[in-house]
Amino acid sequence: MDGGLARVLVACPFNDAALKTLLRGDINVDYRPTMSQQELDQVYTDYDALVVRGNLRVRPLKGKGSLKVIVRAGAGLDNIAVEEFEKLGVKVFNTPDAVAESVGELVIGLMISLSRGVFKAASALCRGEWLKHGLMGQELSGKTLGIIGFGRIGHVVAKIAHAIGMRILVYDIVKFPEEELRLYGAEQVSLEKLLSESDYVSVHTPLTGETRNMLGERELRAMKRTAYLINTARGHIVDQEALKNALKEGWIAGAALDVFSEEPPKDLELLSIPNLIPTPHIGAQTREAQERASFEAAGILVRELKGS
Ligand code: NAD
């Protein structure tokens, strides 16, 4: 800026049409979707704005340089040193609305996969084993779903689960009005009640000091032995060691994890537990979510850099 064109580094895959809206906005774009952490750390100060996803960490290692804006195309901001950058006068944005539908749909898919043994059945058949009679599943309809964190994604999960015919319990630090809960046939309850009555527990809080290890041994033991846990939020919200014991010793029936305390996870003991479905952080990996995230990110950049 300051006389020249604003320079933006897009250090993640980005929708073509959204990229063109940046170029049309007289913004000088450096598109480097496969940039490494080391490269980013070296060059980030040369740009007015950065766009990243969750795979690169953005830290003010060399101060802020020319940087004015950072946009995380997607939801979680835990890979960005938000407070440190804000103290330096750099604005940080994300696009959480863009990905909520995709994550919510994945949760329902994982619930069905857990209930019907889809993962186990498919892997056995690939080895030539026809497991049909060993796999007696259950329907979601009529079961109770506990949603921990009733924000954007929690709402999407509740909307679909309600349509399937599930009873919905919600636990959140924010108190929701009865009219809003009624739209989903939901009841807001204590964490204890949610854990003890739910057949499925799905986690949708951000990772904060309060939610780190929020589900540990005590909470997992408070769940029904027939219940399933689904975590698509952040790995550190569930105590991974306690979860391993819960799955191996049968405190709960099974779990699906899209997120891990370390990504990619190196804990082969966890990954080899038969009643666990692990997925490689694919919650927002849909064409629609990525397209919406790119357009929202482009809109933020044009507004912040060009004031329109
Ligand atoms: P959101 O901010 O819209 O909602 C979070 C909700 O959690 C809010 O209602 C908030 O009040 C509640 N909450 C905060 N602290 C709490 C606490 N201590 N106890 C109970 N409730 C608490 O967030 P969102 O967009 O719905 O995202 C939810 C989670 O999903 C985040 O962790 C996000 O990083 C993660 N996520 C994962 C993927 C993926 O690819 N798997 C994609 C997007 C988001």
Side-chain angles (χ1 to χ4, degrees), residues 4-203:
L5 292 184
R7 293 192 70 202
V8 175
L9 171 63
V10 179
C12 58
F14 208 73
N15 176 276
D16 276 352
L19 210 51
K20 284 183 188 133
T21 65
L22 288 179
L23 297 169
R24 274 199 303 273
D26 272 350
I27 290 172
N28 189 332
V29 180
D30 204 354
Y31 183 45
R32 299 176 63 184
T34 56
M35 182 169 243
S36 71
Q37 183 69 53
Q38 214 181 2
E39 287 169 319
L40 177 73
D41 290 343
Q42 274 165 10
V43 302
Y44 78 94
T45 44
D46 298 345
Y47 295 88
D48 296 291
L50 292 183
V51 185
V52 291
R53 282 173 60 178
N55 59 317
L56 294 173
R57 276 169 298 144
V58 192
R59 301 154 293 176
L61 299 172
K62 307 189 283 175
K64 71 173 193 126
S66 314
L67 206 56
K68 294 160 191 71
V69 181
I70 301 171
V71 184
R72 156 78 160 100
L77 281 170
D78 34 340
N79 58 318
I80 300 175
V82 178
E83 274 182 31
E84 289 174 61
F85 276 114
E86 285 179 348
K87 272 187 204 144
L88 294 170
V90 178
K91 293 189 191 172
V92 182
F93 299 90
N94 61 347
T95 66
D97 289 319
V99 300
E101 191 70 33
S102 293
V103 184
E105 288 187 13
L106 178 69
V107 171
I108 302 292
L110 291 172
M111 283 164 56
I112 294 175
S113 302
L114 284 165
S115 315
R116 306 299 297 272
V118 172
F119 182 52
K120 199 168 162 190
S123 1
L125 195 48
C126 292
R127 294 191 304 268
E129 290 173 48
W130 187 256
L131 277 193
K132 176 169 175 150
H133 297 292
L135 285 174
M136 186 56 71
Q138 68 179 22
E139 296 177 348
L140 298 189
S141 177
K143 304 296 184 306
T144 300
L145 166 64
I147 297 177
I148 302 180
F150 195 45
R152 296 174 186 87
I153 299 171
H155 273 73
V156 173
V157 174
K159 175 188 74 176
I160 308 173
H162 181 49
I164 290 175
M166 299 188 82
R167 171 185 175 227
I168 294 164
L169 302 178
V170 163
Y171 169 70
D172 199 300
I173 44 171
V174 171
K175 174 84 186 104
F176 287 90
E178 280 308 316
E179 316 82 77
E180 185 170 348
L181 294 166
R182 214 174 297 128
L183 292 174
Y184 306 90
E187 187 188 345
Q188 188 160 8
V189 296
S190 66
L191 183 58
E192 289 67 31
K193 183 173 162 82
L194 181 147
L195 293 171
S196 65
E197 293 189 11
S198 296
D199 300 299
Y200 301 83
V201 172
S202 192
V203 187

Side-chain angles (χ1 to χ4, degrees), residues 75 103 151-153 172 204-205 210-211 214 232 234 258 281 283-284:
V103 184
R152 296 174 186 87
I153 299 171
D172 199 300
H204 300 290
T205 65
E210 265 178 55
T211 62
M214 180 189 208
T232 58
R234 281 295 177 264
D258 189 43
H281 206 141

